[in-house]
Amino acid sequence: MELKGAEIICECLLEQGVDTVFGYPGGAALNTYDALYKYSDRINHILTAHEQGASHAADGYARATGKTGVVITTSGPGATNIVTGLATAHIDSIPLVAITGNVNTDQLGRDSFQEVDIVDIVKPVTKASFLVKSIDALADTIRRAFTIANEGRKGPVLVDVPKDITAQTYSYEPVKPEGRQTVPVKNKESVAEALELIKHAERPIIYAGGGIISSDTSEKFRKFAELADAPVCCSLMGLGCIPADHRLNMGNIGMHGGYGTGVATSQCDLIIACGARFSDRVAGDREKFGSQAKIIQLDIDENEINKNVKVYNYILGDMESILDALCEDLPQQSHSDWVNKLNQLKEESEVKSQYPQFASPKQVIDKVNSLKSGDDVFVTDVGQHQMWIAQYADVMCPRTLLTSGGMGTMGFGMGAAIGAQTAFPDKKVILFTGDGSFHMNFNELVTLKSYNLPIIVIVMNNTVLGMVRQWQKLFYGKRFSQTDPKRATDFIALASAFGIKGMSINSAEEVDAVLEKAFALNEPVVIDCKISPDENVLPMIPPGKTVDDIIVDM
């Protein structure tokens, strides 16, 4: 079959099971977009307001579905505008393929109009990046990109295609894509030792990370946790791997985790880290973190072993293979006193809001919890609202909390919500954002309206840059430098300008009625929710510290 390069790109996408892409057209990508017109009955293209929004939408689509997200842009600024999206996906191990256009091959390296060496620019924030130099390499490069994005520890891959390559004609032969490749346990001798450690532990905990969700092993993980009868402390990326109401779920761990999870890490005698990397937001003082315990690390990425925290035992392989090996020979354990103690601490350590004249973040999130279904999707931007969601949201299923964990990307949320709602039109998608983050992405409201995506956008509006201001309050002598921007944005009028319904919550008494009305709609809505500028995310373990230094009041 003789096809143009642009058509070969579309055929390769169909080979890989892709039916939805996100992007923005431009000169160097015109041939590809002309082919997408021809393939529009099989490939749905979502046009965003900005390329960065498209990259976050592809990321959110991948997080919500477990499939590979795809973003398509033109050259130059179109390509550089997705770099933050690629970095966000890279550190959170999200499979993504970016296809960028570039100038003709004979114009490369000549500072041509909208030319940029995107392949080298993105090398540090992708698993791989390729420049297609000849038409005969195009199909295999696209296929290789999808394989790399999904093998081992997942992540983004970029393929840069010069415009003349997309115009040339070449023979295309369909190829069945490789199935999911399992990574068997590489050091089987460690399994027996790990089992002995688990059997003899009196106060074990599991530190559950995003690797569980990325590998789609939440059910097997829950079986393992129940067999070990070990309390589960979730990283931000691990929330959803075990239901929020499960007796073993202790909630979020780390800087803004609960007091109970802090006590768990300081009093346990065994830590089983599952698909987690001991980031600085979890292990503040890496020398002291879990120093009284033996640590077992279960991971697919050998580079993560002993990188941040020294471990006693580790098992390398994909999470499915590791969990199968452990569950096969693990007898039922019982640690009810230990589990009950931590559950009691979890209940007793709840921080109360001190600003009754405003709606409290917990009150708003609790109401959303009561209105949503178990598989509806929470999405966040980054800041205080993100941590309140981690503390209070009832995340019942994997892939129902989409948030930028490692990169902490303000502006991530709207695009990610677009990706999730596109994937699941019948689910409720609730975006929690702050007024700071919202100012970085409200241009994508036009996308919500254009495609009638019924996303509920809840702006936790404290009129300040809340998380940075909180740090200034604690560690910089209350010198509030550039965190009180005194913006006068009318979010209701803004929503109306995009043709979207706007609502406001100005007091605690208005929370229930406004949220009930928003959930009853089947259209996008923006809710301006006023909260106190002095509302803090507590408890908080200061950076580089331990639970002994936890702050519960300020």
Side-chain angles (χ1 to χ4, degrees):
M1 195 163 41
E2 294 290 317
L3 296 176
K4 290 181 178 179
E7 295 170 325
I8 290 174
I9 291 174
C10 293
E11 289 290 344
C12 287
L13 293 177
L14 292 172
E15 278 181 12
Q16 300 295 327
V18 174
D19 57 15
T20 301
V21 300
F22 304 85
Y24 204 99
L30 276 177
N31 293 330
T32 301
Y33 272 84
D34 192 50
L36 284 168
Y37 182 89
K38 175 181 176 182
Y39 284 79
S40 60
D41 60 332
R42 287 173 286 173
I43 300 175
N44 178 33
H45 182 286
I46 303 297
L47 174 68
T48 55
H50 191 282
E51 291 93 351
Q52 183 170 322
S55 66
H56 293 323
D59 179 323
Y61 182 91
R63 292 181 198 240
T65 63
K67 300 178 182 179
T68 305
V70 177
V71 57
I72 300 176
T73 74
T74 190
S75 62
T80 58
N81 280 344
I82 68 171
V83 174
T84 298
L86 295 175
T88 301
H90 186 250
I91 198 166
D92 285 348
S93 305
I94 306 302
L96 194 93
V97 170
I99 301 173
T100 54
N102 213 330
V103 299
N104 290 340
T105 51
D106 63 353
Q107 296 298 315
L108 291 170
R110 298 174 181 267
D111 291 332
S112 304
F113 177 68
Q114 289 192 336
E115 180 200 356
V116 71
D117 183 2
I118 193 65
V119 169
D120 280 341
I121 287 172
V122 304
K123 278 183 177 177
V125 295
T126 56
K127 290 186 71 178
S129 57
F130 302 100
L131 172 64
V132 179
K133 296 180 180 180
S134 61
I135 184 69
D136 61 325
L138 178 59
D140 285 343
T141 304
I142 298 288
R143 292 164 183 150
R144 182 65 181 145
F146 277 86
T147 298
I148 293 173
N150 286 279
E151 67 184 0
R153 181 173 178 173
K154 299 177 183 180
V157 179
L158 180 136
V159 180
D160 194 33
V161 188
K163 188 174 183 179
D164 57 325
I165 301 295
T166 61
Q168 294 170 17
T169 300
Y170 192 72
S171 175
Y172 164 79
E173 292 293 335
V175 173
K176 186 177 180 180
E178 299 178 23
R180 180 171 177 171
Q181 302 296 309
T182 59
V183 180
V185 173
K186 295 180 180 179
N187 54 335
K188 294 182 179 179
E189 69 281 358
S190 292
V191 175
E193 182 181 12
L195 285 168
E196 288 304 308
L197 291 171
I198 296 170
K199 290 174 188 176
H200 289 94
E202 295 180 357
R203 298 179 307 282
I205 68 165
I206 297 174
Y207 163 31
I212 299 165
I213 293 175
S214 178
S215 59
D216 291 318
T217 54
S218 294
E219 287 188 20
K220 290 189 176 186
F221 169 75
R222 182 169 62 178
K223 176 186 175 183
F224 168 67
E226 290 170 348
L227 277 176
D229 199 34
V232 177
C233 304
C234 296
S235 74
L236 184 62
M237 295 296 299
L239 290 167
C241 69
I242 188 168
D245 60 358
H246 195 287
R247 63 178 283 273
L248 293 176
N249 189 349
M250 299 300 127
N252 189 220
I253 188 175
M255 179 177 284
H256 292 294
Y259 179 65
T261 56
V263 169
T265 57
S266 66
Q267 294 186 8
C268 65
D269 59 3
L270 180 68
I271 297 174
I272 310 165
C274 298
R277 57 188 179 84
F278 300 96
S279 84
D280 60 299
R281 284 301 192 262
V282 170
D285 186 330
R286 287 172 170 146
E287 296 298 320
K288 294 181 180 178
F289 181 84
S291 58
Q292 80 293 339
K294 289 184 170 66
I295 300 176
I296 305 170
Q297 189 169 4
L298 318 179
D299 212 288
I300 196 170
D301 186 356
E302 190 168 2
N303 293 320
E304 290 297 336
I305 305 300
N306 292 317
K307 184 176 84 174
N308 291 323
V309 170
K310 298 297 182 185
V311 301
Y312 186 86
N313 171 281
Y314 65 89
I315 306 175
L316 280 174
D318 65 35
M319 198 55 59
E320 183 174 11
S321 298
I322 295 172
L323 292 174
D324 283 344
L326 290 173
C327 289
E328 183 177 1
D329 293 316
L330 179 61
Q332 180 65 57
Q333 306 296 296
S334 178
H335 305 288
S336 55
D337 289 346
W338 171 236
V339 173
N340 292 339
K341 173 185 176 179
L342 294 181
N343 269 314
Q344 185 174 353
L345 284 172
K346 179 182 176 182
E347 293 177 9
E348 292 175 352
S349 60
E350 183 180 303
V351 177
K352 305 293 184 183
S353 174
Q354 300 176 0
Y355 307 98
Q357 68 272 37
F358 292 92
S360 77
K362 185 177 187 304
Q363 178 193 9
V364 175
I365 296 168
D366 282 348
K367 183 60 180 178
V368 171
N369 286 335
S370 73
L371 292 170
K372 75 175 191 69
S373 298
D375 62 350
D376 288 339
V377 182
F378 284 107
V379 186
T380 82
D381 271 297
V382 171
Q384 287 180 311
H385 67 276
Q386 179 188 32
M387 295 298 99
W388 286 319
I389 287 292
Q391 291 177 338
Y392 304 129
D394 288 344
V395 186
M396 305 301 291
C397 309
R399 302 192 181 279
T400 59
L401 171 59
L402 315 184
T403 190
S404 171
M407 195 68 172
T409 305
M410 292 178 69
F412 165 83
M414 188 76 77
I418 289 167
Q421 191 72 83
T422 302
F424 298 112
D426 295 328
K427 289 187 180 182
K428 287 289 185 185
V429 175
I430 308 103
L431 168 62
F432 275 85
T433 185
D435 51 298
S437 288
F438 190 49
H439 276 106
M440 291 190 177
N441 62 24
F442 66 61
N443 57 329
E444 294 300 345
L445 289 175
V446 71
T447 311
L448 270 61
K449 181 62 179 178
S450 296
Y451 294 94
N452 193 32
L453 301 173
I455 297 166
I456 300 172
V457 181
I458 301 175
V459 185
M460 304 296 271
N461 183 7
N462 55 10
T463 71
V464 297
L465 304 182
M467 185 59 86
V468 184
R469 187 175 186 271
Q470 178 171 328
W471 279 55
Q472 290 173 338
K473 189 185 302 183
L474 279 169
F475 310 122
Y476 292 87
K478 298 184 179 180
R479 296 183 294 278
F480 299 128
S481 175
Q482 302 303 313
T483 51
D484 186 1
K486 298 180 173 62
R487 290 169 177 154
T489 309
D490 183 336
F491 292 133
I492 307 303
L494 177 72
S496 178
F498 283 99
I500 291 174
K501 189 179 298 294
M503 303 178 184
S504 61
I505 295 174
N506 298 294
S507 66
E509 290 72 27
E510 296 177 351
V511 169
D512 287 4
V514 171
L515 289 175
E516 287 169 7
K517 184 177 180 181
F519 267 77
L521 296 172
N522 188 33
E523 61 183 274
V525 59
V526 173
I527 301 173
D528 181 6
C529 180
K530 303 293 197 308
I531 63 172
S532 170
D534 293 310
E535 191 85 57
N536 299 301
V537 182
L538 296 173
M540 178 181 183
I541 298 175
K545 302 293 184 180
T546 71
V547 70
D548 295 333
D549 307 293
I550 196 166
I551 299 168
V552 296
D553 191 19
M554 58 185 291

